[in-house]
Amino acid sequence: MRLLLSTAMMFFVFNTFAGGPWVKEKNDGILINSISTVIYKTMSSSTGSGINLPRRVSDISQQNYLEFGITNSLTMIANLELKYVGTSSKVFTTSDFNTVLPYDKLFGIGNSSLGFKYGITKSKFLFSLSYTTEFPNAGSKNNSGLRTGAPTWGFVPGVHLGQGFSKGVYYYVEGYFVARNKWSHEWRVNAEVGYTFKRPLTMALFLSSKQSLGNKSVNDDPNYIYTGLFLNNQEFIAWNFKFMHDINDRMGIMTSLAGGFTTRLIARTPVISGGFYFQWDKQNTATN
């Protein structure tokens, strides 16, 4: 079983730090800052076999995620993704490519998003609905095969189900349909089960799948296959172990280790992601 991360899997990696059916109370909020670094020179083809790239690719993604309770049932969710991508000056021998693109680097904005989640039930079993708009990337260099995200809009309705138990165990399942204006539509399904210890430590197993409908043939620049950066019809089935530790009742740190079962048009490399979070609620805010 191979470990993996893709620049197109940031939805998967980041959702290990956010998600589920829970909504914030009015004026409550949480801010999550996380970073993932990916360095690779192999990727999977459209059939899942391996492709060796002529240059090593580096991808650093910094996520700034916010949840804020507009009402007791409606939560705003926003994410700003900042990206660095670059290729090495060293060229590697490969039989998969006949030419080599110039090495380069690029800073830009990835596929940031803005949306809302509405809690339908607030009993022991939780059910909520969401809608998110994903924005196209802002940053690309066609001649060197670099870009900071998918150059397409995404319109993403979602369904979230889950439950927490008094002994510290929780689970949730969520599904999304992603309609895109330029690329193929896709399904995304996530599931997580976790346990919170008496000490301020939470451990969880997160599973995720992204499956393309393959309904659109894109006339994309062929240079992007040289880096594997954000290709149409990418797919994966992946796992992630995550760990969260509360420093106090407002702040905490987190890390995760990601791996995969199947991949299509996705970079192959291990990944460890980390970050911190700050949360507040109206009661604490009012007393300070």
Side-chain angles (χ1 to χ4, degrees):
M1 182 168 52
R2 58 181 176 267
L3 290 174
L4 63 101
L5 180 77
S6 166
T7 52
M9 282 180 61
M10 290 306 169
F11 173 86
F12 159 60
V13 173
F14 183 68
N15 255 9
T16 63
F17 297 148
W22 295 271
V23 295
K24 296 294 182 183
E25 296 292 319
K26 183 177 181 180
N27 295 327
D28 292 358
I30 184 170
L31 177 64
I32 304 175
N33 181 282
S34 63
I35 188 168
S36 297
T37 301
V38 189
I39 301 175
Y40 61 93
K41 60 184 182 69
T42 61
M43 60 174 287
S44 56
S45 68
S46 58
T47 61
S49 59
I51 298 176
N52 295 313
L53 303 178
R55 294 189 188 275
R56 180 179 288 113
V57 180
S58 298
D59 173 18
I60 301 175
S61 178
Q62 196 264 326
Q63 307 270 357
N64 302 276
Y65 177 86
L66 172 69
E67 288 187 0
F68 181 77
I70 298 176
T71 70
N72 290 339
S73 298
L74 182 65
T75 294
M76 181 186 71
I77 47 180
N79 180 46
L80 174 63
E81 182 184 45
L82 306 178
K83 300 278 289 185
Y84 163 83
V85 291
T87 49
S88 66
S89 58
K90 182 179 179 179
V91 176
F92 297 89
T93 301
T94 173
S95 60
D96 296 315
F97 296 89
N98 296 323
T99 60
V100 178
L101 300 182
Y103 71 91
D104 208 341
K105 60 184 178 180
L106 174 66
F107 293 89
I109 300 176
N111 295 120
S112 301
S113 60
L114 178 65
F116 300 90
K117 184 187 298 183
Y118 184 78
I120 304 297
T121 65
K122 289 190 175 183
S123 58
K124 292 183 179 180
F125 182 78
L126 301 176
F127 170 56
S128 62
L129 300 174
S130 67
Y131 173 79
T132 302
T133 298
E134 296 180 352
F135 305 102
N137 71 305
S140 61
K141 290 186 176 181
N142 295 13
N143 64 324
S144 53
L146 298 179
R147 58 185 171 193
T148 57
T152 179
W153 290 82
F155 308 98
V156 192
V159 177
H160 313 261
L161 306 170
Q163 190 173 6
F165 301 94
S166 59
K167 294 185 178 181
V169 177
Y170 72 91
Y171 76 92
Y172 69 81
V173 179
E174 56 190 7
Y176 304 87
F177 177 74
V178 185
R180 288 172 156 173
N181 65 323
K182 292 183 179 180
W183 284 10
S184 296
H185 305 332
E186 65 188 35
W187 291 100
R188 300 172 184 170
V189 179
N190 303 325
E192 178 172 311
V193 58
Y195 178 73
T196 300
F197 296 86
K198 290 183 179 180
R199 298 180 63 183
L201 175 66
T202 298
M203 300 176 61
L205 172 63
F206 180 84
L207 302 175
S208 183
S209 176
K210 170 181 172 180
Q211 302 298 314
S212 173
L213 273 64
N215 61 309
K216 292 184 181 180
S217 178
V218 177
N219 186 23
D220 203 5
D221 193 311
N223 283 354
Y224 292 115
I225 195 67
Y226 283 75
T227 61
L229 289 170
F230 302 97
L231 304 176
N232 188 36
N233 295 323
Q234 289 178 317
E235 297 182 341
F236 62 80
I237 300 175
W239 56 263
N240 192 304
F241 286 106
K242 75 173 185 178
F243 307 86
M244 297 182 295
H245 185 275
D246 293 330
I247 298 173
N248 53 43
D249 60 350
R250 291 195 179 190
M251 300 178 62
I253 57 176
M254 52 200 161
T255 186
S256 69
L257 173 66
F261 300 106
T262 64
T263 61
R264 300 289 186 272
L265 297 173
I266 283 179
R268 294 177 172 180
T269 190
V271 59
I272 296 177
S273 300
F276 69 90
Y277 55 90
F278 175 79
Q279 56 188 343
W280 67 93
D281 59 61
K282 53 190 177 183
Q283 292 181 348
N284 286 341
T285 302
T287 57
N288 291 331

